[in-house]
Structure formats: C-alpha cells, structure tokens
Amino acid sequence: MHFVIMGCGRVGSTLAIGLQEHGHEVAIIDQDEGAFRRLGSNFAGSRITGVGFDRETLERADIRNAYAFAAVSSGDNSNILAARVARETFDVEHVVARIYDPGRAEIYQRLGIPTVATVRWTADQVLRRLVPQGAIPLHTDPSGRISLLDLSPHISWVGTPLRVIERETGARVGYFTRLGEGRLPDPDTVLQEGDLLQVLAERDRRPEIEKTLTSPRPADL
C-alpha cells in the first residue's frame, strides 16, 4: 500500500522507515530538503520537497493512490490543514494529524480528523491508526489465555450497536475510545466513525475476531 507523510522530523522519519519495513510504499514531504537525511541511505521511498498542504505537492506524492496520510510536522495548523485537504479534496480514508495542543485535539476530532497529542505521541500510535493491523494486544492475563485487544473496526460497522458486535464476534467490549476519551459502553451504545474498541477475548479466537471486525460488515446483520 502507498502512504504519504508530511513532516520528516523525528516522528515522520521513524514512521516512514517503519512503514517501509512493513513492506509499504512511502512518500514523505518536507519543506526542508536537508530533513530527508534522517531517512538514511536505505530508504527507498519518495522524498518530496514542498508544503504538505499544497495540492500540487500532494499530487507529486501520489496522494490520489494513498491508502493513508499522516501530518506530523511541527505546526498544528499546518497539520490540520493538510489532513483536511487529504480527506476532503483527495478522499483519503485513513488520515491522522499530530497536535501539540491537547486542548484543541477534541475540536479537530469533531471535524473527522483523528489526532494524537504530543504528550502521548509515539510512531507506534500512528501506525495503529494508519495500518490495518487488526487486533493489537494491550494486556494479557498471567495465564496467557485472555487478552485485551485494541481494534479499529472496518468503516462499514459504523452504526452497529456494540451488543451486536459482541454477539457476532463472541468477544466482550470492555470499553471504547471516542474522541480520545475512554468510555464504558451501555446497552444502547452504537459504534461511531473513529471509535476504537478495546475488547476482551480468548487468545485462540483472536484471528477470527480480527478477521470479522476488520472486514466489511455482513449485509444480513
């Protein structure tokens, strides 16, 4: 898959190298051509010098064929603007923006742009939002039998009551994360776009649960 990253600082370069190691194609954008030195000589992706929210620059990064876009420059406004251009102009479904001011993060979340505040930022968190990795173990009980999994359901599951998701997967939704805030579900909770599910499941059933929730929702539900 093709990924586009804006910002070749410490996080952007780490993210680009990590995606390449996962076997993906990467184009990384930065206004400072010298920033690309962080990528090292083994980086095989595209290095695009320019402004990350400029449409022509994004076109040179092949944004139209991008599976996902990450805006991780040093400026909140630039990151949000670039993320919105990627989402609204080029219809990139998987978009994430780095935000230095955590107080603004919820506002941008309501615009439909998943954000990660600097205080809890790691390249791994961005990978979780961009790459379809499926279930990510957050915790496993001492016996190794039960795991708490972090899941990002396929977008077709949006609008589905969590009780239906539990019925179809056999897993238990321990809590869910919405707009960066953990919440406990109630009987009427419905999955919204951008929600992350934290589910309790038996280890042996993890592949089955992962396949079910990261695939399109069955039409007969």
Side-chain angles (χ1 to χ4, degrees):
M1 292 183 288
H2 181 59
F3 291 79
V4 178
I5 300 168
M6 169 184 145
C8 193
R10 183 184 303 172
V11 172
S13 58
T14 301
L15 182 58
I17 293 169
L19 286 167
Q20 180 175 272
E21 289 175 349
H22 277 78
H24 301 296
E25 296 180 355
V26 183
I28 187 163
I29 302 168
D30 202 288
Q31 297 183 66
D32 178 11
E33 188 173 355
F36 299 130
R37 290 195 299 266
R38 295 185 176 92
L39 296 169
S41 59
N42 293 326
F43 181 70
S46 301
R47 301 166 174 86
I48 310 296
T49 304
V51 178
F53 50 80
D54 177 72
R55 296 184 184 183
E56 184 177 327
T57 300
L58 289 168
E59 291 273 14
R60 286 193 286 129
D62 198 18
I63 190 68
R64 293 189 184 277
N65 291 314
Y67 174 82
F69 175 80
V72 295
S73 76
S74 59
D76 283 9
N77 291 336
S78 296
N79 288 341
I80 288 299
L81 179 57
R84 294 193 68 182
V85 171
R87 169 71 62 80
E88 298 169 12
T89 301
F90 295 104
D91 298 321
V92 180
E93 180 179 344
H94 304 279
V95 172
V96 65
R98 180 185 194 182
I99 299 298
Y100 280 82
D101 180 359
R104 303 164 70 184
E106 184 170 342
I107 296 173
Y108 296 132
Q109 290 270 20
R110 294 184 186 279
L111 295 175
I113 305 296
T115 61
V116 181
T118 303
V119 292
R120 55 191 175 89
W121 177 269
T122 65
D124 178 64
Q125 286 179 307
V126 181
L127 283 169
R128 290 186 181 195
R129 288 161 172 76
L130 296 185
V131 181
Q133 300 179 81
I136 300 173
L138 296 176
H139 174 75
T140 301
D141 81 300
S143 73
R145 184 169 176 265
I146 304 295
S147 293
L148 179 65
L149 308 177
D150 191 17
L151 274 164
S152 179
H154 188 276
I155 194 169
S156 61
W157 287 90
V158 169
T160 304
L162 297 192
R163 64 177 183 276
V164 173
I165 291 176
E166 289 184 330
R167 184 189 71 205
E168 293 302 309
T169 62
R172 179 76 57 83
V173 179
Y175 66 100
F176 64 100
T177 304
R178 178 173 295 166
L179 301 177
E181 180 180 290
R183 305 185 184 189
L184 292 174
D186 60 43
D188 299 317
T189 300
V190 171
L191 186 74
Q192 294 185 14
E193 185 173 358
D195 285 356
L196 295 175
L197 298 183
Q198 287 74 38
V199 303
L200 292 164
E202 296 178 349
R203 180 188 58 192
D204 294 344
R205 300 202 59 244
R206 173 182 164 183
E208 178 185 349
I209 293 167
E210 176 181 342
K211 181 179 179 180
T212 298
L213 285 184
T214 59
S215 301
R217 169 182 159 166
D220 56 351
L221 287 186

